[in-house]
Coordinates of all heavy atoms in Angstrom, one line a residue:
M1 N 0.9 -1.2 0.0 CA 0.0 0.0 0.0 C 0.9 1.2 0.0 O 1.9 1.3 0.8 CB -0.9 -0.1 1.3 CG -1.9 1.0 1.3 SD -3.2 0.9 2.6 CE -2.9 -0.5 3.6
D2 N 0.6 2.2 -0.8 CA 1.4 3.4 -0.9 C 1.2 4.3 0.3 O 0.2 4.2 1.0 CB 1.2 4.1 -2.2 CG -0.2 4.7 -2.4 OD1 -0.7 5.3 -1.5 OD2 -0.7 4.4 -3.5
A3 N 2.0 5.3 0.5 CA 2.0 6.2 1.6 C 0.7 7.0 1.6 O 0.1 7.2 2.7 CB 3.2 7.1 1.6
K4 N 0.2 7.4 0.5 CA -1.0 8.2 0.4 C -2.2 7.4 0.9 O -3.1 7.9 1.7 CB -1.3 8.7 -1.0 CG -2.4 9.6 -1.2 CD -2.5 10.2 -2.6 CE -3.7 11.1 -2.8 NZ -3.9 11.5 -4.1
T5 N -2.3 6.1 0.4 CA -3.4 5.3 0.8 C -3.3 5.0 2.3 O -4.3 5.0 3.0 CB -3.4 4.0 0.0 OG1 -3.5 4.3 -1.4 CG2 -4.6 3.1 0.4
T6 N -2.1 4.7 2.8 CA -1.9 4.4 4.2 C -2.4 5.6 5.1 O -3.1 5.4 6.1 CB -0.5 4.1 4.5 OG1 -0.1 3.0 3.7 CG2 -0.2 3.8 6.0
E7 N -2.1 6.8 4.6 CA -2.5 8.0 5.3 C -4.0 8.1 5.3 O -4.7 8.4 6.4 CB -1.9 9.2 4.7 CG -2.2 10.5 5.4 CD -1.6 11.7 4.7 OE1 -0.4 11.6 4.2 OE2 -2.2 12.8 4.6
K8 N -4.7 7.8 4.2 CA -6.2 7.9 4.2 C -6.8 6.9 5.1 O -7.8 7.2 5.8 CB -6.6 7.6 2.7 CG -6.4 8.7 1.8 CD -6.9 8.4 0.4 CE -6.6 9.5 -0.6 NZ -7.1 9.1 -2.0
V9 N -6.3 5.6 5.1 CA -6.8 4.6 6.0 C -6.6 5.0 7.4 O -7.6 4.9 8.2 CB -6.1 3.3 5.7 CG1 -6.4 2.2 6.8 CG2 -6.4 2.7 4.3
Q10 N -5.5 5.5 7.8 CA -5.2 6.0 9.2 C -6.2 7.1 9.6 O -6.7 7.1 10.7 CB -3.8 6.4 9.4 CG -3.5 6.6 10.8 CD -3.8 5.4 11.7 OE1 -3.3 4.3 11.4 NE2 -4.5 5.6 12.8
E11 N -6.5 8.0 8.6 CA -7.4 9.1 8.9 C -8.8 8.5 9.3 O -9.5 9.0 10.2 CB -7.5 10.0 7.7 CG -6.3 10.9 7.5 CD -6.4 11.7 6.3 OE1 -7.5 11.9 5.7 OE2 -5.4 12.3 5.8
I12 N -9.2 7.5 8.5 CA -10.6 6.9 8.7 C -10.6 6.2 10.0 O -11.5 6.3 10.8 CB -10.9 5.9 7.6 CG1 -11.1 6.7 6.3 CG2 -12.1 5.1 7.9 CD1 -11.2 5.9 5.0
V13 N -9.5 5.4 10.3 CA -9.5 4.7 11.6 C -9.5 5.6 12.7 O -10.2 5.4 13.7 CB -8.2 3.8 11.6 CG1 -8.0 3.2 13.0 CG2 -8.3 2.7 10.6
T14 N -8.7 6.7 12.7 CA -8.6 7.7 13.7 C -9.9 8.3 14.0 O -10.4 8.5 15.1 CB -7.5 8.7 13.4 OG1 -6.3 8.1 13.3 CG2 -7.4 9.8 14.5
K15 N -10.6 8.7 12.9 CA -11.9 9.4 13.0 C -12.9 8.4 13.7 O -13.7 8.9 14.6 CB -12.4 9.8 11.6 CG -13.6 10.6 11.7 CD -14.0 11.3 10.3 CE -15.1 12.3 10.5 NZ -15.4 13.0 9.3
I16 N -12.9 7.2 13.3 CA -13.9 6.2 13.9 C -13.5 6.0 15.4 O -14.4 6.0 16.2 CB -13.9 4.9 13.1 CG1 -14.6 5.1 11.7 CG2 -14.7 3.8 13.9 CD1 -14.5 4.0 10.8
Q17 N -12.3 5.8 15.6 CA -11.8 5.5 17.0 C -12.0 6.6 18.0 O -12.3 6.4 19.2 CB -10.4 5.0 17.0 CG -10.2 3.6 16.5 CD -8.7 3.2 16.5 OE1 -7.8 4.0 16.4 NE2 -8.5 1.9 16.6
S18 N -11.9 7.9 17.4 CA -12.0 9.0 18.3 C -13.5 9.5 18.6 O -13.7 10.4 19.4 CB -11.2 10.2 17.8 OG -11.7 10.6 16.5
D19 N -14.4 8.9 17.9 CA -15.8 9.3 18.0 C -16.6 8.2 18.5 O -16.9 7.2 17.8 CB -16.3 9.8 16.6 CG -17.7 10.3 16.7 OD1 -18.5 9.9 17.5 OD2 -18.0 11.2 15.9
P20 N -17.0 8.2 19.8 CA -17.8 7.1 20.4 C -19.0 6.7 19.6 O -19.3 5.5 19.5 CB -18.2 7.6 21.8 CG -17.1 8.6 22.1 CD -16.8 9.3 20.8
A21 N -19.7 7.7 19.0 CA -20.9 7.3 18.2 C -20.5 6.6 16.9 O -21.2 5.6 16.6 CB -21.7 8.6 17.9
L22 N -19.5 7.0 16.3 CA -19.0 6.3 15.1 C -18.5 4.9 15.4 O -18.7 4.0 14.7 CB -17.9 7.1 14.4 CG -18.3 8.3 13.5 CD1 -17.1 9.0 12.9 CD2 -19.2 7.8 12.4
L23 N -17.8 4.8 16.5 CA -17.3 3.5 16.9 C -18.5 2.5 17.2 O -18.4 1.4 16.8 CB -16.4 3.6 18.2 CG -15.7 2.4 18.6 CD1 -14.8 1.9 17.5 CD2 -14.8 2.7 19.8
K24 N -19.5 3.0 17.8 CA -20.7 2.2 18.0 C -21.3 1.8 16.7 O -21.7 0.7 16.5 CB -21.7 2.9 18.9 CG -22.8 2.1 19.4 CD -23.6 2.8 20.4 CE -24.7 1.8 20.9 NZ -25.4 2.3 22.1
E25 N -21.4 2.8 15.8 CA -22.0 2.5 14.4 C -21.1 1.4 13.8 O -21.6 0.5 13.1 CB -22.0 3.7 13.6 CG -23.1 4.7 13.8 CD -23.0 5.9 12.9 OE1 -22.8 5.7 11.7 OE2 -23.2 7.0 13.4
F26 N -19.8 1.6 13.9 CA -18.8 0.7 13.2 C -19.0 -0.7 13.7 O -19.0 -1.7 13.0 CB -17.4 1.1 13.4 CG -16.4 0.2 12.8 CD1 -16.1 0.3 11.4 CD2 -15.7 -0.7 13.5 CE1 -15.2 -0.5 10.8 CE2 -14.8 -1.5 12.9 CZ -14.5 -1.4 11.5
E27 N -19.2 -0.9 15.0 CA -19.4 -2.2 15.6 C -20.7 -2.9 15.1 O -20.7 -4.1 15.0 CB -19.4 -2.1 17.2 CG -18.0 -1.8 17.7 CD -17.9 -1.5 19.1 OE1 -19.0 -1.4 19.8 OE2 -16.8 -1.3 19.7
A28 N -21.7 -2.1 14.8 CA -22.9 -2.6 14.4 C -22.9 -2.8 12.9 O -23.5 -3.8 12.4 CB -24.1 -1.7 14.7
S29 N -22.3 -1.9 12.1 CA -22.3 -2.0 10.7 C -21.0 -1.4 10.1 O -21.0 -0.2 9.7 CB -23.5 -1.3 10.1 OG -23.5 -1.4 8.7
P30 N -19.9 -2.2 10.0 CA -18.7 -1.7 9.6 C -18.7 -1.0 8.2 O -18.2 0.1 8.0 CB -17.7 -2.9 9.6 CG -18.3 -3.8 10.6 CD -19.8 -3.6 10.5
A31 N -19.3 -1.7 7.2 CA -19.3 -1.2 5.9 C -20.0 0.1 5.7 O -19.5 1.0 5.1 CB -19.9 -2.3 4.9
K32 N -21.2 0.2 6.4 CA -21.9 1.5 6.3 C -21.2 2.6 7.0 O -21.2 3.8 6.5 CB -23.3 1.3 7.0 CG -24.3 0.4 6.2 CD -24.7 1.2 4.9 CE -25.7 0.4 4.2 NZ -26.0 0.9 2.8
T33 N -20.5 2.3 8.1 CA -19.7 3.4 8.7 C -18.5 3.8 7.9 O -18.2 5.0 7.8 CB -19.2 2.9 10.1 OG1 -20.4 2.4 10.8 CG2 -18.6 4.0 10.9
I34 N -17.9 2.9 7.3 CA -16.8 3.2 6.4 C -17.3 4.1 5.2 O -16.7 5.1 4.9 CB -16.0 2.0 5.9 CG1 -15.3 1.3 7.0 CG2 -15.1 2.3 4.8 CD1 -14.8 -0.1 6.7
E35 N -18.4 3.7 4.7 CA -19.0 4.5 3.6 C -19.2 5.9 4.0 O -18.9 6.9 3.4 CB -20.4 3.9 3.1 CG -20.3 2.8 2.2 CD -21.7 2.3 1.8 OE1 -22.6 2.3 2.6 OE2 -21.8 2.1 0.6
K36 N -19.8 6.1 5.2 CA -20.1 7.4 5.8 C -18.9 8.2 6.0 O -18.8 9.4 5.6 CB -20.9 7.2 7.1 CG -21.3 8.4 7.8 CD -22.0 8.1 9.1 CE -22.4 9.3 9.9 NZ -23.1 8.9 11.1
V37 N -17.9 7.7 6.7 CA -16.7 8.4 7.0 C -15.9 8.7 5.8 O -15.3 9.8 5.6 CB -15.9 7.6 8.1 CG1 -14.5 8.3 8.3 CG2 -16.6 7.5 9.4
A38 N -15.8 7.7 4.8 CA -14.9 7.9 3.7 C -15.6 8.6 2.5 O -14.9 9.0 1.6 CB -14.4 6.5 3.2
G39 N -16.9 8.7 2.6 CA -17.6 9.4 1.5 C -17.7 8.6 0.2 O -17.5 9.1 -0.9
I40 N -17.8 7.2 0.4 CA -17.8 6.4 -0.8 C -19.1 5.6 -0.8 O -19.9 5.6 0.2 CB -16.7 5.4 -0.9 CG1 -16.7 4.5 0.4 CG2 -15.4 6.1 -1.0 CD1 -15.8 3.3 0.2
N41 N -19.3 4.8 -1.8 CA -20.5 3.9 -2.0 C -20.0 2.5 -2.2 O -19.5 2.2 -3.3 CB -21.3 4.4 -3.1 CG -22.8 4.2 -2.9 OD1 -23.2 3.7 -1.9 ND2 -23.6 4.5 -3.9
I42 N -20.1 1.6 -1.2 CA -19.7 0.2 -1.3 C -20.8 -0.5 -2.0 O -22.0 -0.4 -1.5 CB -19.3 -0.4 0.0 CG1 -18.1 0.4 0.7 CG2 -19.1 -1.9 -0.1 CD1 -17.8 0.0 2.1
P43 N -20.6 -1.3 -3.0 CA -21.7 -2.0 -3.7 C -22.4 -2.9 -2.7 O -21.8 -3.6 -1.8 CB -20.9 -2.9 -4.7 CG -19.6 -2.1 -5.0 CD -19.3 -1.5 -3.7
D44 N -23.7 -3.0 -2.8 CA -24.5 -3.7 -1.9 C -24.0 -5.2 -1.7 O -24.1 -5.7 -0.6 CB -26.0 -3.7 -2.3 CG -26.6 -2.3 -2.1 OD1 -26.1 -1.5 -1.4 OD2 -27.7 -2.1 -2.8
F45 N -23.6 -5.8 -2.8 CA -23.3 -7.2 -2.7 C -22.0 -7.4 -1.8 O -21.8 -8.5 -1.3 CB -23.1 -7.9 -4.0 CG -21.9 -7.5 -4.8 CD1 -20.7 -8.2 -4.7 CD2 -21.9 -6.4 -5.6 CE1 -19.6 -7.9 -5.4 CE2 -20.8 -6.0 -6.3 CZ -19.6 -6.8 -6.2
L46 N -21.2 -6.4 -1.7 CA -20.0 -6.5 -0.9 C -20.1 -6.2 0.6 O -19.4 -6.7 1.4 CB -18.9 -5.6 -1.4 CG -18.2 -6.0 -2.7 CD1 -17.2 -5.0 -3.2 CD2 -17.6 -7.4 -2.6
E47 N -21.2 -5.5 1.0 CA -21.3 -5.1 2.3 C -21.4 -6.2 3.3 O -20.7 -6.2 4.3 CB -22.6 -4.2 2.5 CG -22.4 -2.8 1.9 CD -23.6 -1.9 2.0 OE1 -24.4 -2.2 2.9 OE2 -23.7 -1.0 1.3
P48 N -22.2 -7.3 3.1 CA -22.2 -8.4 4.0 C -20.9 -9.1 4.2 O -20.5 -9.5 5.3 CB -23.3 -9.3 3.5 CG -24.1 -8.6 2.5 CD -23.2 -7.5 2.0
K49 N -20.2 -9.2 3.1 CA -18.9 -9.8 3.1 C -17.9 -9.0 4.0 O -17.2 -9.5 4.8 CB -18.3 -10.0 1.7 CG -19.1 -11.0 0.9 CD -18.6 -11.1 -0.5 CE -19.5 -12.1 -1.3 NZ -19.1 -12.2 -2.7
I50 N -17.9 -7.7 3.7 CA -17.0 -6.8 4.5 C -17.3 -6.9 6.0 O -16.4 -7.0 6.9 CB -17.0 -5.4 4.0 CG1 -16.4 -5.3 2.6 CG2 -16.3 -4.4 4.9 CD1 -16.6 -4.0 1.9
E51 N -18.6 -6.8 6.3 CA -19.0 -6.8 7.7 C -18.7 -8.2 8.3 O -18.2 -8.2 9.5 CB -20.5 -6.5 7.8 CG -20.8 -5.1 7.4 CD -22.3 -4.7 7.5 OE1 -23.1 -5.6 7.9 OE2 -22.6 -3.6 7.2
Q52 N -18.8 -9.3 7.6 CA -18.4 -10.6 8.2 C -17.0 -10.7 8.5 O -16.5 -11.1 9.5 CB -18.9 -11.7 7.3 CG -18.7 -13.1 7.9 CD -19.4 -13.3 9.2 OE1 -20.5 -12.9 9.3 NE2 -18.9 -14.1 10.0
I53 N -16.2 -10.2 7.5 CA -14.7 -10.2 7.7 C -14.3 -9.4 8.9 O -13.5 -9.8 9.8 CB -14.0 -9.7 6.4 CG1 -14.2 -10.7 5.3 CG2 -12.5 -9.3 6.7 CD1 -13.8 -10.1 4.0
V54 N -14.8 -8.2 9.1 CA -14.5 -7.3 10.2 C -14.9 -8.0 11.5 O -14.2 -8.0 12.5 CB -15.1 -5.9 10.0 CG1 -15.0 -5.1 11.3 CG2 -14.5 -5.2 8.9
K55 N -16.1 -8.5 11.5 CA -16.6 -9.2 12.7 C -15.7 -10.3 13.1 O -15.4 -10.5 14.3 CB -18.1 -9.7 12.5 CG -18.7 -10.4 13.6 CD -20.1 -10.9 13.3 CE -20.7 -11.6 14.5 NZ -21.0 -13.0 14.2
E56 N -15.3 -11.2 12.2 CA -14.5 -12.3 12.5 C -13.1 -11.8 13.0 O -12.5 -12.4 13.9 CB -14.4 -13.2 11.3 CG -15.6 -14.0 11.0 CD -15.6 -14.8 9.8 OE1 -14.5 -15.0 9.2 OE2 -16.7 -15.4 9.4
Q57 N -12.6 -10.8 12.3 CA -11.2 -10.3 12.8 C -11.3 -9.7 14.2 O -10.4 -10.0 15.0 CB -10.8 -9.2 11.8 CG -10.3 -9.7 10.5 CD -10.0 -8.6 9.5 OE1 -10.3 -7.5 9.7 NE2 -9.2 -9.0 8.5
R58 N -12.4 -9.0 14.5 CA -12.5 -8.5 15.9 C -12.7 -9.6 16.9 O -12.2 -9.5 18.0 CB -13.7 -7.5 15.9 CG -13.4 -6.3 15.1 CD -14.6 -5.3 15.0 NE -14.9 -4.7 16.3 CZ -14.2 -3.6 16.8 NH1 -13.2 -3.1 16.1 NH2 -14.6 -3.1 17.9
E59 N -13.4 -10.7 16.5 CA -13.6 -11.8 17.5 C -12.2 -12.5 17.7 O -11.9 -12.9 18.8 CB -14.6 -12.8 16.9 CG -16.0 -12.3 16.9 CD -17.0 -13.2 16.2 OE1 -16.5 -14.2 15.5 OE2 -18.2 -12.9 16.2
L60 N -11.4 -12.6 16.6 CA -10.1 -13.2 16.8 C -9.2 -12.4 17.7 O -8.5 -12.9 18.5 CB -9.4 -13.4 15.4 CG -9.9 -14.5 14.6 CD1 -9.4 -14.5 13.2 CD2 -9.5 -15.9 15.2
L61 N -9.3 -11.1 17.5 CA -8.5 -10.2 18.4 C -8.8 -10.4 19.8 O -8.0 -10.4 20.7 CB -8.7 -8.7 18.0 CG -7.9 -8.2 16.8 CD1 -8.4 -6.8 16.4 CD2 -6.4 -8.2 17.0
E62 N -10.1 -10.4 20.1 CA -10.6 -10.6 21.5 C -10.2 -12.0 22.0 O -9.7 -12.0 23.2 CB -12.1 -10.4 21.5 CG -12.5 -9.0 21.3 CD -14.1 -8.8 21.3 OE1 -14.8 -9.8 21.3 OE2 -14.5 -7.6 21.2
Q63 N -10.2 -13.0 21.2 CA -9.8 -14.3 21.7 C -8.3 -14.4 22.0 O -7.9 -14.9 23.0 CB -10.2 -15.4 20.7 CG -11.7 -15.7 20.5 CD -12.0 -16.6 19.3 OE1 -11.1 -17.2 18.8 NE2 -13.2 -16.7 19.0
V64 N -7.6 -13.8 21.1 CA -6.1 -13.9 21.3 C -5.6 -13.0 22.4 O -4.7 -13.4 23.1 CB -5.4 -13.5 19.9 CG1 -3.9 -13.4 20.1 CG2 -5.7 -14.6 18.9
T65 N -6.1 -11.8 22.5 CA -5.6 -10.8 23.4 C -6.3 -10.8 24.8 O -5.8 -10.3 25.8 CB -5.7 -9.4 22.9 OG1 -7.1 -9.0 22.8 CG2 -5.0 -9.2 21.6
G66 N -7.5 -11.4 24.8 CA -8.3 -11.4 26.0 C -8.8 -10.0 26.4 O -9.3 -9.7 27.5
R67 N -8.8 -9.1 25.4 CA -9.3 -7.7 25.6 C -10.4 -7.4 24.6 O -10.5 -8.1 23.6 CB -8.2 -6.7 25.4 CG -7.1 -6.9 26.3 CD -5.8 -6.1 26.0 NE -5.9 -4.8 25.4 CZ -4.9 -4.2 24.8 NH1 -3.7 -4.8 24.6 NH2 -5.1 -3.1 24.2
K68 N -11.2 -6.4 24.8 CA -12.2 -6.0 23.9 C -11.5 -5.5 22.6 O -10.5 -4.8 22.7 CB -13.1 -4.9 24.4 CG -14.0 -5.3 25.6 CD -14.8 -4.2 26.1 CE -15.9 -3.9 25.1 NZ -16.9 -2.9 25.6
A69 N -12.0 -5.8 21.5 CA -11.4 -5.4 20.2 C -11.2 -3.9 20.1 O -10.2 -3.4 19.6 CB -12.2 -6.0 19.0
A70 N -12.2 -3.2 20.6 CA -12.1 -1.7 20.6 C -10.9 -1.2 21.4 O -10.4 -0.1 21.2 CB -13.4 -1.1 21.1
D71 N -10.4 -2.0 22.3 CA -9.2 -1.6 23.1 C -7.9 -2.0 22.5 O -6.8 -1.7 23.1 CB -9.3 -2.1 24.5 CG -10.6 -1.6 25.3 OD1 -11.0 -0.5 24.9 OD2 -11.1 -2.3 26.2
V72 N -7.9 -2.7 21.4 CA -6.7 -3.2 20.8 C -6.3 -2.3 19.6 O -7.1 -2.1 18.7 CB -6.9 -4.7 20.3 CG1 -5.6 -5.2 19.6 CG2 -7.3 -5.6 21.4
P73 N -5.1 -1.7 19.6 CA -4.7 -0.9 18.5 C -4.8 -1.7 17.2 O -4.4 -2.9 17.1 CB -3.3 -0.5 18.8 CG -3.2 -0.7 20.3 CD -4.1 -1.8 20.6
Q74 N -5.4 -1.1 16.1 CA -5.5 -1.8 14.9 C -5.2 -0.9 13.7 O -5.4 0.3 13.8 CB -7.0 -2.3 14.7 CG -7.4 -3.2 15.9 CD -8.9 -3.4 15.9 OE1 -9.5 -3.8 14.9 NE2 -9.5 -3.3 17.0
V75 N -4.8 -1.5 12.6 CA -4.5 -0.8 11.4 C -5.2 -1.6 10.3 O -5.1 -2.8 10.3 CB -3.0 -0.7 11.1 CG1 -2.7 -0.1 9.7 CG2 -2.3 0.1 12.2
W76 N -5.8 -0.9 9.3 CA -6.4 -1.5 8.2 C -5.3 -1.8 7.1 O -4.6 -0.9 6.7 CB -7.5 -0.6 7.6 CG -8.7 -0.6 8.4 CD1 -8.9 0.0 9.5 CD2 -9.9 -1.4 8.1 NE1 -10.2 -0.2 10.0 CE2 -10.8 -1.1 9.1 CE3 -10.3 -2.2 7.1 CZ2 -12.1 -1.6 9.2 CZ3 -11.6 -2.8 7.2 CH2 -12.4 -2.4 8.2
A77 N -5.2 -3.0 6.6 CA -4.4 -3.4 5.5 C -5.3 -3.9 4.4 O -5.9 -5.0 4.6 CB -3.3 -4.4 5.9
L78 N -5.4 -3.2 3.3 CA -6.4 -3.5 2.4 C -5.9 -4.3 1.2 O -4.9 -4.2 0.7 CB -7.0 -2.2 1.8 CG -7.5 -1.2 2.9 CD1 -8.0 0.1 2.2 CD2 -8.7 -1.8 3.7
Y79 N -6.8 -5.2 0.7 CA -6.6 -6.0 -0.5 C -6.9 -5.1 -1.7 O -7.6 -4.1 -1.7 CB -7.4 -7.2 -0.5 CG -7.0 -8.3 0.5 CD1 -7.6 -8.4 1.7 CD2 -5.9 -9.1 0.1 CE1 -7.2 -9.4 2.6 CE2 -5.5 -10.1 1.0 CZ -6.1 -10.2 2.2 OH -5.7 -11.1 3.1
K80 N -6.5 -5.6 -2.9 CA -6.7 -4.9 -4.2 C -8.1 -4.5 -4.3 O -8.4 -3.4 -4.8 CB -6.2 -5.8 -5.3 CG -6.6 -5.3 -6.7 CD -6.0 -4.0 -7.1 CE -6.4 -3.7 -8.5 NZ -7.4 -2.7 -8.7
E81 N -9.0 -5.4 -4.0 CA -10.5 -5.2 -4.3 C -10.9 -3.9 -3.5 O -11.7 -3.1 -4.0 CB -11.3 -6.4 -3.9 CG -11.1 -7.6 -4.8 CD -9.8 -8.4 -4.4 OE1 -9.1 -8.1 -3.5 OE2 -9.6 -9.4 -5.1
V82 N -10.4 -3.8 -2.3 CA -10.8 -2.7 -1.4 C -10.1 -1.4 -1.9 O -10.6 -0.3 -1.8 CB -10.6 -2.9 0.0 CG1 -11.0 -1.8 0.9 CG2 -11.3 -4.2 0.5
Q83 N -8.9 -1.6 -2.4 CA -8.1 -0.5 -2.9 C -8.9 0.3 -4.0 O -8.8 1.5 -4.1 CB -6.8 -1.0 -3.5 CG -6.0 0.1 -4.2 CD -5.4 1.1 -3.2 OE1 -4.9 0.7 -2.1 NE2 -5.4 2.4 -3.5
D84 N -9.7 -0.5 -4.8 CA -10.5 0.1 -5.8 C -11.5 1.2 -5.2 O -11.8 2.2 -5.9 CB -11.4 -0.9 -6.6 CG -10.5 -1.8 -7.4 OD1 -9.3 -1.4 -7.7 OD2 -10.9 -2.9 -7.8
F85 N -12.0 1.0 -4.0 CA -12.8 2.0 -3.4 C -12.0 3.3 -3.2 O -12.6 4.4 -3.4 CB -13.4 1.6 -2.1 CG -14.2 0.4 -2.2 CD1 -14.1 -0.7 -1.3 CD2 -15.3 0.3 -3.1 CE1 -14.9 -1.8 -1.4 CE2 -16.1 -0.8 -3.2 CZ -15.9 -1.9 -2.3
Y86 N -10.8 3.2 -2.8 CA -9.9 4.4 -2.7 C -9.7 5.1 -4.0 O -9.8 6.3 -4.2 CB -8.6 4.1 -2.0 CG -8.7 3.8 -0.6 CD1 -8.9 2.5 -0.1 CD2 -8.8 4.8 0.4 CE1 -9.0 2.2 1.2 CE2 -9.0 4.5 1.7 CZ -9.1 3.2 2.1 OH -9.2 2.9 3.4
D87 N -9.5 4.3 -5.0 CA -9.3 4.8 -6.4 C -10.5 5.5 -6.9 O -10.4 6.4 -7.8 CB -8.9 3.7 -7.4 CG -7.5 3.1 -7.0 OD1 -6.7 3.8 -6.3 OD2 -7.2 2.0 -7.5
Q88 N -11.7 5.2 -6.4 CA -13.0 5.8 -6.8 C -13.3 7.1 -6.0 O -14.3 7.6 -6.1 CB -14.1 4.8 -6.7 CG -14.0 3.6 -7.6 CD -15.1 2.6 -7.3 OE1 -16.1 2.9 -6.7 NE2 -14.8 1.4 -7.8
G89 N -12.3 7.5 -5.1 CA -12.5 8.7 -4.4 C -12.7 8.6 -2.9 O -13.1 9.6 -2.2
M90 N -12.5 7.4 -2.3 CA -12.6 7.2 -0.9 C -11.7 8.2 -0.2 O -10.5 8.4 -0.5 CB -12.3 5.8 -0.5 CG -12.5 5.5 1.0 SD -12.2 3.7 1.2 CE -12.7 3.6 2.9
K91 N -12.3 8.9 0.8 CA -11.5 10.0 1.5 C -11.1 9.4 2.9 O -11.7 8.7 3.5 CB -12.4 11.2 1.7 CG -12.7 11.8 0.4 CD -13.7 13.0 0.6 CE -14.2 13.5 -0.7 NZ -15.2 14.4 -0.7

């Protein structure tokens, strides 16, 4: 991932983590929250997949660390398919 994309991802993560209301939204619906914060439109068929992936990753973090996922520092590392959202103007 290039530096510009890494910076964008970090901005989104920071914004969600620093806003309790957004964090709560993210926990309930990760894809919708990312759309809202990033100003993009994720295709409907991908939303359930993204939400399932995030849910499973958070569960794994909790199992491994013994802490709530929200309390574990995290960074998004995106696959090519998600990179396309950034290329379409994700902020």
Side-chain angles (χ1 to χ4, degrees):
M1 186 171 0
D2 64 48
K4 185 176 177 182
T5 302
T6 300
E7 184 179 321
K8 287 180 183 180
V9 170
Q10 189 56 50
E11 287 174 17
I12 292 167
V13 170
T14 300
K15 188 168 187 174
I16 292 171
Q17 288 179 331
S18 64
D19 184 328
L22 281 176
L23 188 56
K24 189 171 184 169
E25 282 181 42
F26 181 80
E27 290 172 354
S29 181
K32 289 289 183 193
T33 308
I34 292 169
E35 279 184 316
K36 178 180 177 179
V37 173
I40 62 163
N41 214 1
I42 296 173
D44 291 341
F45 74 92
L46 287 178
E47 288 180 23
K49 292 177 183 179
I50 292 171
E51 291 181 1
Q52 184 62 34
I53 290 167
V54 171
K55 179 179 180 239
E56 289 175 8
Q57 288 175 340
R58 294 175 68 80
E59 288 171 356
L60 284 170
L61 281 172
E62 290 176 353
Q63 289 172 12
V64 170
T65 65
R67 297 165 39 196
K68 292 179 74 173
D71 296 334
V72 178
Q74 301 169 51
V75 174
W76 284 78
L78 306 176
Y79 287 98
K80 165 67 176 102
E81 293 82 0
V82 180
Q83 177 69 42
D84 292 341
F85 297 132
Y86 286 96
D87 294 341
Q88 295 172 19
M90 185 173 186
K91 298 175 185 170

